[in-house]
Amino acid sequence: MNDPVVIVGSGLAGYAVARELRKLNTEIPIIMLSADHGGFYSKPMLSNALAFGKTPASILNNDAVQMAAQLKIYIRPYCRVATIDQSRSMVTLMDGEEIFYDQLVLALGADQVRLPLQGNGVAKILTVNDLDDYQNFRDALTGKKRVSIIGAGLIGCEFANDLAAAGYQVDVIDISAQPLGRLLPPAGGAFIQQKLAANGVFFHLNTTTQTVDQVNKQFRLTLTSGESFESDLVLSSVGLRPRTQLAETAGIQVNRGVVVNRLLQTRFANIYALGDCAEVESKVLPFVMPITHAARALAATLAGNPTFVQYPAMPVMVKTPACPTVVSPPDFSVKGEWNVEADEEGVKALYQDEAGNLLGYALLGAATKEKNNLTAQLPPVLM
Ligand SMILES: Cc1cc2nc3c(=O)[nH]c(=O)nc-3n(C[C@H](O)[C@H](O)[C@H](O)COP(=O)(O)OP(=O)(O)OC[C@H]3O[C@@H](n4cnc5c(N)ncnc54)[C@H](O)[C@@H]3O)c2cc1C
């Protein structure tokens, strides 16, 4: 038997490439190595699961045994890769076991960034980046009423909406003057802030968390603004950092993510990367749609038909039912400006160049109905 395609990681990226490769070739041996349980679930569900009454068990679509049978692959859960020896085409697991590969796919994901905060409660700040984290979060919520969220980005706002809908009192803290500061122009930020506030979310903006102290069973947060308040639980969602260390120690080029070309190939011909860990042509895009496109191209390449990844425009739905929002973030390195129409029903913000070409958009409330029409006018992200 030939050495297998070894996929490291069982997130959406690892599974997408395994599934696409199986569609093209039923014979190639595939081994998936995963540091976690190896089951398949949709990670985006984690930030709106409370509102849908979903439990960690009901979010899991299939466990590793079921997935292995379905895709006819070998899956090794709780199996962390410690090193890659590219010269021998081999990975070593934490227990020293060596596994040889014909082609290696890194689908390692990203870690939640942790801010350097002070206080004796910092170690108890939660993050939710996978199903096990979500189980911890659910357990920690039992009997609690007030939750603080550090970070008003996409994931912070989604959790804020979900928690408020489930009856929790929610405080959100962000250094920016508005929620979703990296994705929305000010009018859009003001609109979503107002809608979430109307649903019980309290924003502390233009400030950062300085100290998180544990006081009995509660936490006391002190902000740089001087404000201080108590909370039963603190959730941090201030961004993601691609997991690059494994690649870096193997001599693979890393920058913000694992650097790959448009074949998703690192500087070593039989080592590839995709998903949240990867930097494709200088772009780190930690979303589902890029994974879908990358997985199709990579599967074709792995099956013997080298194929460049192409990204069309890929709008992202923000899962805040209190304020339907869809964004297609422009490449801000391209010169343009926001043109905004706003009223009580919604916000339509178009990022356009001097000639009026549409480069990106943000649609909130009633304006979200224009999504399809506007998406058709957007340039591809990578062609
Ligand atoms: C709460 C939340 C909500 C989101 N909502 C949306 C949304 O609405 N829309 C959207 O487009 N995107 C959303 N995203 C982003 C999207 O979920 C991610 O882009 C996607 O799931 C990343 O998949 P991945 O496979 O690259 O990484 P991951 O899912 O992180 O998987 C990485 C895998 O690698 C394994 N691993 C890591 N290191 C090793 C090692 N050394 N050895 C073995 N295994 C290893 C891990 O155990 C894991 O199985 C959301 C993310 C979060 C956290």
Side-chain angles (χ1 to χ4, degrees):
M1 191 170 88
N2 292 337
D3 285 334
V5 170
V6 170
I7 299 172
V8 188
S10 61
L12 291 178
Y15 271 119
V17 80
R19 193 173 280 119
E20 293 296 330
L21 183 52
R22 266 293 166 262
K23 283 187 203 162
L24 299 175
N25 187 309
T26 53
E27 303 300 322
I28 295 178
I30 302 175
I31 298 180
M32 179 179 278
L33 306 171
S34 179
D36 61 34
H37 52 86
F40 179 75
Y41 68 101
S42 172
K43 193 189 280 200
M45 288 230 59
L46 301 181
S47 48
N48 64 350
L50 291 171
F52 284 105
K54 292 261 182 190
T55 61
S58 67
I59 292 171
L60 183 71
N61 296 75
N62 290 114
D63 65 22
V65 174
Q66 292 165 325
M67 289 307 293
Q70 194 184 100
L71 296 174
K72 299 189 171 48
I73 65 178
Y74 295 93
I75 303 180
R76 304 270 307 265
Y78 302 112
C79 207
R80 183 174 288 278
V81 173
T83 58
I84 301 166
D85 182 343
Q86 61 79 23
S87 64
R88 297 175 64 205
S89 291
M90 180 195 87
V91 297
T92 307
L93 308 183
M94 294 300 273
D95 65 4
E97 182 183 343
E98 297 177 342
I99 296 176
F100 288 87
Y101 57 80
D102 180 35
Q103 307 189 85
L104 180 67
V105 176
L106 303 177
L108 304 165
D111 287 315
Q112 291 267 359
V113 172
R114 282 193 167 266
L115 294 176
L117 304 176
Q118 298 160 19
N120 65 4
V122 171
K124 295 210 172 149
I125 296 175
L126 300 180
T127 57
V128 176
N129 190 29
D130 59 36
L131 199 55
D132 291 335
D133 289 343
Y134 186 67
Q135 178 72 63
N136 291 340
F137 176 60
R138 289 283 294 234
D139 293 346
L141 276 176
T142 309
K144 305 289 166 47
K145 289 197 174 68
R146 188 169 178 180
V147 180
S148 291
I149 300 174
I150 303 175
L154 191 131
I155 293 173
C157 284
E158 291 184 350
F159 273 114
N161 195 153
D162 202 35
L163 286 158
Y168 294 90
Q169 189 184 337
V170 184
D171 290 273
V172 179
I173 305 120
D174 200 288
I175 192 169
S176 168
Q178 62 168 80
L180 295 174
R182 290 203 202 123
L183 297 174
L184 303 180
F191 190 82
I192 192 170
Q193 180 179 348
Q194 183 220 325
K195 295 289 179 195
L196 289 174
N199 280 262
V201 177
F202 193 89
F203 284 92
H204 309 258
L205 299 171
N206 284 313
T207 185
T208 56
T209 313
Q210 197 164 41
T211 313
V212 178
D213 280 317
Q214 189 161 13
V215 183
N216 301 320
K217 288 191 171 166
Q218 285 197 306
F219 297 95
R220 170 155 287 280
L221 286 84
T222 307
L223 312 184
T224 46
S225 60
E227 200 183 343
S228 179
F229 55 90
E230 286 185 351
S231 197
D232 297 322
L233 195 149
V234 185
L235 182 69
S236 172
S237 59
V238 294
L240 293 168
R241 185 173 294 125
R243 295 187 178 122
T244 55
Q245 201 194 344
L246 180 66
E248 190 170 15
T249 48
I252 294 166
Q253 188 190 352
V254 305
N255 185 31
R256 274 194 303 148
V258 178
V259 173
V260 291
N261 61 20
R262 291 184 56 185
L263 288 171
L264 288 321
Q265 186 180 44
T266 66
R267 74 184 181 93
F268 300 118
N270 63 344
I271 304 181
Y272 302 85
L274 81 166
D276 283 9
C277 70
E279 180 176 326
V280 186
E281 299 260 310
S282 307
K283 293 180 199 305
V284 176
L285 300 170
F287 298 107
V288 175
M289 288 275 282
I291 289 176
T292 307
H293 291 283
R296 272 191 212 129
L298 180 52
T301 299
L302 295 171
N305 175 23
T307 302
F308 284 155
V309 64
Q310 296 187 338
Y311 292 142
M314 298 178 288
V316 178
M317 308 286 290
V318 184
K319 302 186 295 298
T320 45
C323 180
T325 301
V326 55
V327 291
S328 187
D331 177 351
F332 285 107
S333 64
V334 180
K335 204 160 176 288
E337 62 178 41
W338 286 110
N339 293 302
V340 181
E341 290 169 28
D343 61 23
E344 282 184 3
E345 302 298 314
V347 176
K348 174 179 169 183
L350 307 182
Y351 192 82
Q352 290 164 303
D353 66 14
E354 270 179 9
N357 297 310
L358 187 65
L359 303 175
Y361 65 67
L363 305 171
L364 296 94
T368 52
K369 64 177 184 295
E370 298 198 45
K371 173 186 160 232
N372 291 346
N373 175 30
L374 290 169
T375 303
Q377 299 173 37
L378 286 170
V381 174
L382 191 66
M383 228 24 197

